[in-house]
Every structure is written in C-alpha cells, then in structure tokens.
Amino acid sequence: MTILLLGGTGEARALAALLREQGREVIASLAGVTRKPEDYGVPTRIGGFGGAEGLSAWIDQNRITCLIDATHPFARRMPFNAAAAAERSGIPRLRLLRPEWPPGPDWRQFDDLEAACRALSPPDRVLVTTGREDLAPFVKRPEIQFWIRTIEPLGPLPGHMHPITARPPFPLDHERELMRRHRITHLLTKNSGGSRAKLDAAEALGLTIMMIRRPAPPGGPVAHDLGSVVAWIKETVAS
Ligand code: NAP
C-alpha cells in the first residue's frame, strides 16, 4: 500500500517518521508555504494539486491506496479537497486532528478575526498568533497596537502592527518574557491545540485570552493521536 500524507503540522512529521519505522510506504505532501520546510524523512512533494480534481488525478497516477489528512486544524480548503478527492478516487481517508484546548472560564471566543478585532478598544496591546493569512482586520484598527508573530517574515506593515518572526517551540518562560516586554494586555490566538505555553503565560499574567473557534471538519473518520492512525491503517489494510 502507498499512503499519501498531507502535512504541514508537527504531528504529520511525527507520523511520517513512525510509519517509516513501521516499514510503510509513505509520500508526504506540503503546500509549500514555508521557505525551508522541515524534513519529513520520506519522499516529499511540494505545492498544490489544483483542487480536488487535481488531487484525485494525482492519487490515481501515483497508485495511492489511502490518504491521511494531517493538515492544520485551521486549514480551510485542503480537508474538503481531500475528502472530495478520496471519494472520487475510491480510497479511504482519515483526518488527523490534534485535540482542541478545552475553553478556559474567562476566554472570549469568536468565529473569526473580524469579530475579535471589533471587540478591541484602545489602549489594548495585542499579541496575535493566528498566522499570516488574514491581516486585513488588524490593518482596519490603527488605534490598537498589535504584535503579530509568524514563522515567515511579513512584508512592510503599518506602524501599529509590529512583526515578530520566530519558529516554535516557544517555552513558557519565553512567552512570559515576550508578553511582559511588550506590555501585552490581550492574547489573540486560535484553538489549534498542542502546546499550552502561551495560554499558561497569558493566564499567569492576567491577560485577556481571545480565542478563534475551529472550523468544522468534513464528515468522515477523525483520529486525535498517532496510535489511532496506526490502528486505522491496520484495519484499512485488513479490509
Ligand atoms: P488551505 O486553505 O486548506 O489550503 C490552501 C491550498 O494550499 C489548498 O487548496 C491546496 O492547493 C494547497 N495545500 C494545502 N495543504 C497542502 C498540502 N499538504 N499539500 C499540497 N497542497 C496543499 O490551507 P492553508 O491554511 O492555506 O495552509 C497551507 C498549509 O499550511 C497546510 O498544509 C496547513 O496544514 C499548513 N498550516 C496552516 C495553518 C493555518 O492556520 N491555516 C497553520 C499551520 C500550518 P490545491 O487546491 O492547488 O491543491
């Protein structure tokens, strides 16, 4: 069997290593958004497929027998393309989604960045860790100070948007120091799950936590850890 692993997350990389150890044939796929993607240790292709149709054609050409979608919980398009392509090509598909953080009692939760930004007012000082995709809601609020953390550097920004370029992991001490240094009052993040360091630091410093809710995944099987993926692959092979 040949497994297509849609990556872009730490879990995808860990899964690639685990499956390789188990002697499975895996091809990893990355969107190509980071300039220096981390090594998956398995054959890796980079770049979009051209929508669900393109992905289905690629699956057929490369004789893929099952698909594991380990893209980020906030990846909006790829999980739906993966679902449609797997159905079209008649192969089984599994979504790997790391568990969400359970909501804290004082969290303010929002469906999108626009709504979160509307809830801010001066003199709020906001650490933003929601990624680089959608900066427009911050541009529209020049009276608020934003520190925007991304892995890849951002282009020129207006004066009220301060870039921070850094690659995770970010330990608790690092997060606390960063928040203190910039006198941050609000942490604006999305419920990606994984390390809680920034949440713990924000809570310890008494900051307001503003959380973007996860988008709903497509229907179909979901695994929350690597062990469940391995079990699903065994079942899939057996059937
Ligand atoms: P997206 O909206 O779901 O994807 C946009 C397009 O990028 C897709 O339609 C697809 O192009 C291509 N693509 C995405 N993942 C791919 C993969 N693993 N292999 C090949 N092509 C892929 O996702 P996004 O939010 O732009 O994120 C892009 C990548 O960064 C994803 O792999 C995701 O896991 C990772 N990431 C996203 C976030 C986030 O917060 N959104 C955070 C960390 C990492 P085609 O339609 O042409 O195939």
Side-chain angles (χ1 to χ4, degrees), residues 49-228:
F49 294 93
E53 264 180 46
L55 176 53
S56 171
W58 194 93
I59 286 170
D60 298 345
Q61 276 158 18
N62 291 275
R63 300 176 185 280
I64 299 297
T65 39
C66 81
L67 190 160
I68 297 168
D69 173 9
T71 55
H72 192 268
F74 278 81
R76 286 192 183 267
R77 267 184 286 159
M78 202 55 184
F80 290 89
N81 288 355
E87 193 173 335
R88 203 181 167 116
S89 294
I91 61 164
R93 168 193 59 94
L94 178 68
R95 176 79 171 116
L96 171 61
L97 268 180
R98 66 178 89 135
E100 285 188 281
W101 295 308
D106 300 324
W107 282 9
R108 302 183 63 192
Q109 298 200 69
F110 302 90
D111 285 331
D112 54 45
L113 290 178
E114 285 280 350
C117 280
R118 276 198 300 272
L120 292 165
S121 54
D124 294 346
R125 299 167 69 86
V126 188
L127 175 61
V128 179
T129 65
T130 52
R132 55 181 294 139
E133 302 95 55
D134 188 9
L135 300 180
F138 310 119
V139 175
K140 285 187 210 156
R141 297 299 313 267
E143 69 283 27
I144 310 284
Q145 298 293 312
F146 294 102
W147 280 262
I148 301 181
R149 182 162 72 189
T150 55
I151 296 178
E152 297 292 327
L154 295 169
L157 292 176
H160 68 290
M161 292 166 64
H162 315 282
I164 300 174
T165 308
R167 188 176 277 274
F170 304 116
L172 182 63
D173 288 356
H174 172 279
E175 298 297 64
R176 225 176 359 218
E177 205 280 314
L178 177 76
M179 290 170 188
R180 278 213 188 104
R181 181 165 14 113
H182 298 299
R183 290 179 284 116
I184 298 296
T185 58
H186 292 62
L187 170 66
L188 171 53
T189 189
K190 48 191 184 187
N191 198 335
S192 302
S195 165
R196 281 192 53 94
K198 63 189 163 195
L199 301 180
D200 291 343
E203 275 170 14
L205 295 172
L207 310 191
T208 301
I209 296 180
M210 305 177 83
M211 189 65 69
I212 307 297
R213 295 186 185 93
R214 273 192 192 181
V222 175
H224 294 290
D225 55 62
L226 301 193
S228 308

